[in-house]
Amino acid sequence: TYDAASGSIVTNGSNQYISVPQISTSITNVTMQAWVYVTVPSKGPFIKNGTAGGGYAIGIGSNAYDVTGSNVNMLVYGTPGWINTGVSYGTTGWKLVTMTMDGTSTARAYVNGSLIGTYATTPNASFTGALNFGANIGDQSVFYNGKFAAAYFYDRALSLAEIQQNYNAFSSKTTAYS
């Protein structure tokens, strides 16, 4: 559904999600970023590139995004698989959530322009499927109950300064994602 008050798309956590055609099958030099209304605690993926047993994702949960919790979690199909950062999203509210994969497939998680952590990965070399917001389709089909206001996908790993620039450009808005 659409929430006019916040200018966002709302998913119900049981079967709704946003899907766009596959943008990239790259496991290196990519950035996925979205303004998400994070409810603490909760569970589910915010952004997942690929379906079934492939791709990579960032979301919220305990030790994984299929278990209710407050931590920043990533999933990189291959090695290590689940990445529990051990870092909480903190309070409920709008957050700019970012995941990058650099030229060596090193995954990085950012929240509101701050680096959460850097993780060595060896992702599966190929995957298929759409870019989904609020769902991991085909592998447990986990869904997120929340709001999405804006999303960005880049064909390179943004630097910390660029991620902070994106955060600062919209963090002071009085509706949608502030």
Side-chain angles (χ1 to χ4, degrees):
T1 60
Y2 179 72
D3 178 19
S6 66
S8 61
I9 295 173
V10 182
T11 58
N12 66 6
S14 63
N15 63 1
Q16 297 174 338
Y17 61 100
I18 305 157
S19 185
V20 297
Q22 188 176 64
I23 293 174
S24 173
T25 58
S26 180
I27 57 173
T28 61
N29 298 315
V30 295
T31 299
M32 302 186 306
Q33 189 173 69
W35 282 98
V36 179
Y37 192 84
V38 176
T39 302
V40 177
S42 59
K43 68 178 180 176
F46 299 142
I47 311 169
K48 169 87 174 14
N49 190 29
T51 54
Y56 38 88
I58 187 167
I60 186 172
S62 179
N63 58 335
Y65 60 60
D66 58 351
V67 179
T68 299
S70 301
N71 289 342
V72 178
N73 286 287
M74 295 189 296
L75 178 60
V76 176
Y77 284 86
T79 304
W82 285 109
I83 301 171
N84 177 9
T85 66
V87 177
S88 174
Y89 279 99
T91 59
T92 294
W94 287 105
K95 313 280 185 197
L96 181 63
V97 177
T98 307
M99 178 179 182
T100 65
M101 300 283 280
D102 71 11
T104 62
S105 297
T106 298
R108 288 181 175 79
Y110 303 82
V111 176
N112 290 344
S114 295
L115 177 64
I116 299 301
T118 301
Y119 310 92
T121 68
T122 306
N124 292 344
S126 65
F127 61 92
T128 60
L131 177 67
N132 294 313
F133 298 88
N136 183 6
I137 300 302
D139 181 12
Q140 300 179 15
S141 294
V142 178
F143 298 89
Y144 179 68
N145 181 10
K147 300 177 184 180
F148 299 85
Y152 316 94
F153 194 94
Y154 298 86
D155 62 356
R156 62 189 179 85
L158 294 183
S159 68
L160 175 60
E162 291 169 316
I163 292 167
Q164 290 171 334
Q165 179 180 334
N166 285 356
Y167 173 72
N168 291 334
F170 293 102
S171 65
S172 64
K173 292 183 69 68
T174 57
T175 60
Y177 27 89
S178 72

